[in-house]
Amino acid sequence: MPRPAAAPPTGPTAKDAPGRERRYDVDLLRVVCTAAVVLVHAAAEFTDAGHRTTGILGDSAGRFAVPVFFAMAGWAALVGSPVRGDAQLLTRLGRVLRPMAVWTVLYLLWQYAAGPSFEDGAAREAGNALSGSVEAAFHLWYLYIYVPLLLLLGVAVLVVQRRPAPRRSLILLAAFAVAPAAAGDLKTLTGLPLPAWNWSVSLYALGYALAGAALLAARRPGPRGLWIAGVAAGLVALTVYQFTVRHPAAYGSAAVAAVTFAVVGATAGVRVPERARAVLRRLSDASFGTYLVHLLLVMLLVRPAAQHVSHGIAAPLALAVTAAGAVVLSFAASVLWGRLGMRRWLG
């Protein structure tokens, strides 16, 4: 059977979940959220270029994407395809870390070659990537949370299921747990300007994962019309919040949470037509690679447009066109290297 869709970084394979039907509604959610992430980063370019209204509107339209990815991650880890052993959990982590490392190096090389130059030096920037903070590929911050979240949920599943003790995963989880304090102590003892350790699970991410698992696993999440109305109302409220209170809105804020759960509820259980499933499956499988490469396309396509477009209606039109172009090209690139058998390394 085809694998169920999970969060953008990785998903269980057919070997992980024999006999399980593919959740095409989750595939749809995954593709929509991947495109929304591109929109958020494209909108940030317009905000930085002085088009505040356009930037806030674009950001509000896609702000739900990252929390929904955490929700899908929770569903995959706890319901869709829970791990059955220590080795399987570590294999899943490897599927995330391998392309993550490759793209970190590629973005570091890109910034070194194309500029702007590294503020603290190339060597320090590379060191920061190991501790969880790399400016050249800032969009990878999600993975610095997702990896320990996946590890935590996986170990919890194995403990609850009374599987053999996942010794290697437990050691790795313990290392993640003590690393922040250890990094601070080492900085104090040596006096070196060591970066902080940012591989950690945020409480809001864990909350989205658990609530998302429950909502996506529910047989009847409720009337779809009400969820869709909730999406519309939530987007309006979030936009007002970002104009008047805080921009960008924190992912753990009530405004973002409301839109997040409304989007999940509106999509959960939706029936995807048979004729669209093959394309949707291909795009879903390409979502992680799209997420990894899209920042490069945003810099190449969106940034110049944001810096040169005039104010007024031209700005939101430019955002819509360039963001759509970045989405299409990012998905196309990921589909291409998937067909070439390079997904193992490029996502």
Side-chain angles (χ1 to χ4, degrees):
M1 295 293 295
R3 65 176 175 80
T10 186
T13 64
K15 293 181 179 179
D16 292 340
R20 293 183 184 272
E21 290 187 8
R22 183 151 185 152
R23 287 283 300 266
Y24 287 99
D25 57 335
V26 179
D27 278 334
L28 177 62
L29 196 56
R30 191 182 188 198
V31 172
V32 169
C33 289
T34 302
V37 166
V38 181
L39 175 60
V40 167
H41 289 145
E45 295 292 340
F46 277 78
T47 301
D48 292 343
H51 303 283
R52 182 174 182 270
T53 299
T54 297
I56 290 179
L57 290 174
D59 184 90
S60 298
R63 200 74 185 161
F64 64 87
V66 167
V68 172
F69 277 135
F70 286 127
M72 288 188 288
W75 170 82
L78 300 175
V79 182
S81 186
V83 294
R84 301 187 304 275
D86 194 23
Q88 188 186 34
L89 177 54
L90 294 176
T91 297
R92 290 190 183 182
L93 293 177
R95 293 179 198 156
V96 182
L97 294 171
R98 190 183 304 109
M100 178 184 181
V102 170
W103 280 101
T104 297
V105 172
L106 291 176
Y107 277 106
L108 286 171
L109 291 174
W110 170 266
Q111 184 164 337
Y112 181 77
S117 60
F118 296 105
E119 184 176 344
D120 298 323
R124 182 169 177 79
E125 180 75 355
N128 289 344
L130 297 176
S131 67
S133 176
V134 53
E135 182 62 29
F138 65 86
H139 67 307
L140 298 184
W141 71 269
Y142 168 83
L143 298 182
Y144 292 113
I145 298 177
Y146 178 81
V147 169
L149 176 64
L150 182 68
L151 179 62
L152 176 63
L153 294 177
V155 168
V157 165
L158 295 176
V159 171
V160 171
Q161 292 181 345
R162 298 185 179 181
R163 301 278 184 174
R167 293 183 178 85
R168 290 177 295 173
S169 297
L170 281 171
I171 291 173
L172 184 58
L173 183 60
F176 274 116
V178 303
D185 293 343
L186 186 62
K187 184 175 182 179
T188 300
L189 291 172
T190 62
L192 297 174
L194 301 175
W197 183 265
N198 293 316
W199 295 78
S200 61
V201 179
S202 302
L203 186 57
Y204 78 83
L206 183 59
Y208 282 128
L210 296 177
L215 191 54
L216 285 170
R219 292 187 177 182
R220 293 185 177 86
R224 199 174 310 280
L226 290 180
W227 286 114
I228 294 174
V231 172
L235 287 175
V236 172
L238 176 58
T239 303
V240 172
Y241 174 86
Q242 293 213 97
F243 271 114
T244 59
V245 181
R246 176 178 175 177
H247 174 253
Y251 285 119
S253 68
V256 175
V259 179
T260 296
F261 293 123
V263 168
V264 174
T267 309
V270 68
R271 187 181 181 279
V272 176
E274 292 279 352
R275 61 182 179 276
R277 291 182 179 182
V279 174
L280 180 60
R281 181 169 59 246
R282 188 175 296 115
L283 292 177
S284 178
D285 291 342
S287 290
F288 185 32
T290 301
Y291 159 77
L292 291 169
V293 73
H294 83 271
L295 190 62
L296 181 61
L297 275 301
V298 167
M299 290 188 290
L300 291 174
L301 293 180
V302 181
R303 181 174 295 174
Q307 293 173 345
H308 294 96
V309 71
S310 60
H311 291 273
I313 191 63
L317 288 176
L319 172 59
V321 171
T322 57
V327 169
V328 170
L329 291 177
S330 298
F331 268 110
S334 183
V335 169
L336 176 60
W337 68 61
R339 289 185 174 181
L340 295 176
M342 301 172 65
R343 198 162 301 290
R344 173 182 174 86
W345 295 101
L346 297 179

